[in-house]
Amino acid sequence: MIRYVIFAHDRSGSSSLARALSVHPEINFTLDPFHPNYGEWYPDERTYRDSATDGPSLEAVLQEISLRYNGIKVLSYDLPEEIYRHLLLLPDVKVAFLRRRNILRTVVSGKIADQTKMWQLWDPRYNREEAYRGLQPIDLDQVESAIEYQIWLQVYYRRIVVQRPKDSRMFLNYEDFYTDDLSRNRANLEAVLRFLGVEAADMSAADEFLDPRTAKLNSTSTYELLPNAREIEKAFGSDQVGWLFER
């Protein structure tokens, strides 16, 4: 059975974190196996989404995945809540629950990615400068509903994960892994490795996924390319939801 689960919310740096952890010789994550395009992204794999319809079928899928991987990274919207509840309460797994405190940036980053189809900085199919040229305004009603949904998701799933034994759950924040201080990012990654219970190893190759220059897709400068970014900031920015621009 799968040993490690990163359960993440949208635009929370989960792919970078999973890739960084997979640098360790004892860890091997697969990314988003329940996404409908998984089989297209990885031609040697099959699409698992339609096979996980309840608790027993989910466990059968996880058993199949575990023949090649010992960890999965999943996003909170790929499967129904009840199936994810079963996943998050499985015994004998370690669950890292990853969120982004700045929900406004979560939402806007997601809406920008919807337009550009660029989800990761290292995606070889896209050039960020070209992808971000011609960004269109984001509808404010869509931003508002997305913020409400993100808040609901974070509260709902946290209430599930907190039911796990303390030594089998860990709550993580995007903001702790992608700071301008690479040594701090490394230290936080090492804390996750200790939680997972693996031996110390050379993790220098993980810097590619922890350094904002190579791992962070959006910043203040890219948000400025969005025509109504300042309008969004004025309408929704707050200390509770977050701000698009530094304060």
Side-chain angles (χ1 to χ4, degrees):
M1 183 62 72
I2 292 294
R3 295 171 57 193
Y4 313 120
V5 175
I6 296 175
F7 185 81
H9 294 292
D10 195 21
R11 313 313 296 155
S12 61
S14 57
S15 293
S16 293
L17 177 60
R19 287 172 182 262
L21 290 170
S22 291
V23 168
H24 194 284
E26 296 179 35
I27 298 175
N28 186 17
F29 273 93
T30 187
L31 311 183
D32 308 314
F34 301 116
H35 191 282
N37 294 335
Y38 182 73
E40 177 184 337
W41 295 337
Y42 308 103
D44 292 338
E45 306 280 0
R46 73 178 182 89
T47 299
Y48 295 105
R49 181 188 178 102
D50 295 337
S51 299
T53 57
D54 56 18
S57 61
L58 171 68
E59 292 190 37
V61 166
L62 294 176
Q63 189 65 46
E64 181 179 343
I65 293 174
S66 70
L67 298 176
R68 301 182 67 173
Y69 307 95
N70 60 8
I72 59 173
K73 186 275 286 190
V74 295
L75 293 174
S76 58
Y77 54 75
D78 282 339
L79 288 177
E81 289 87 0
E82 283 306 308
I83 298 178
Y84 269 152
R85 179 183 179 86
H86 188 88
L87 169 66
L88 294 173
L89 294 178
L90 283 173
D92 303 321
V93 299
K94 296 287 187 76
V95 174
F97 180 90
L98 177 64
R99 67 164 189 145
R100 190 171 185 171
R101 286 192 293 261
N102 192 318
I103 294 175
L104 184 58
R105 288 188 178 181
T106 297
V107 168
V108 172
S109 293
K111 295 299 182 183
I112 289 176
D114 286 339
Q115 289 189 34
T116 63
K117 308 306 177 188
M118 186 175 183
W119 297 89
Q120 309 294 341
L121 186 59
W122 61 74
D123 192 328
R125 297 172 299 173
Y126 301 99
N127 174 279
R128 181 167 58 177
E129 183 177 346
E130 294 178 359
Y132 278 59
R133 187 179 298 125
L135 283 178
Q136 299 300 307
I138 301 173
D139 183 83
L140 295 187
D141 289 338
Q142 291 183 13
V143 174
E144 182 175 24
S145 61
I147 289 172
E148 292 172 354
Y149 182 57
Q150 284 293 328
I151 292 173
W152 180 86
L153 278 177
Q154 291 194 16
V155 171
Y156 176 81
Y157 283 117
R158 184 181 178 87
R159 286 175 177 170
I160 294 173
V161 176
V162 78
Q163 297 175 43
R164 297 190 59 84
K166 289 184 178 180
D167 63 352
S168 72
R169 57 175 162 88
M170 188 177 194
F171 294 98
L172 308 174
N173 295 304
Y174 165 96
E175 287 82 0
D176 295 328
F177 290 93
Y178 306 106
T179 72
D180 293 331
D181 183 350
L182 186 55
S183 63
R184 176 183 170 189
N185 303 343
R186 291 169 179 157
N188 286 321
L189 182 70
E190 290 172 1
V192 179
L193 292 171
R194 290 194 296 272
F195 162 70
L196 297 180
V198 296
E199 298 292 332
D202 178 10
M203 295 296 291
S204 56
D207 284 358
E208 175 185 359
F209 308 109
L210 299 175
D211 189 332
R213 294 172 297 179
T214 55
K216 193 172 180 181
L217 182 60
N218 286 310
S219 64
T220 299
S221 61
T222 58
Y223 293 132
E224 288 282 12
L225 299 175
L226 187 66
N228 64 334
R230 293 293 176 179
E231 184 181 5
I232 292 171
E233 170 98 326
K234 182 178 180 180
F236 303 108
S238 71
D239 291 338
Q240 290 72 39
V241 172
W243 306 90
L244 279 184
F245 303 101
E246 301 298 336
R247 296 229 156 202

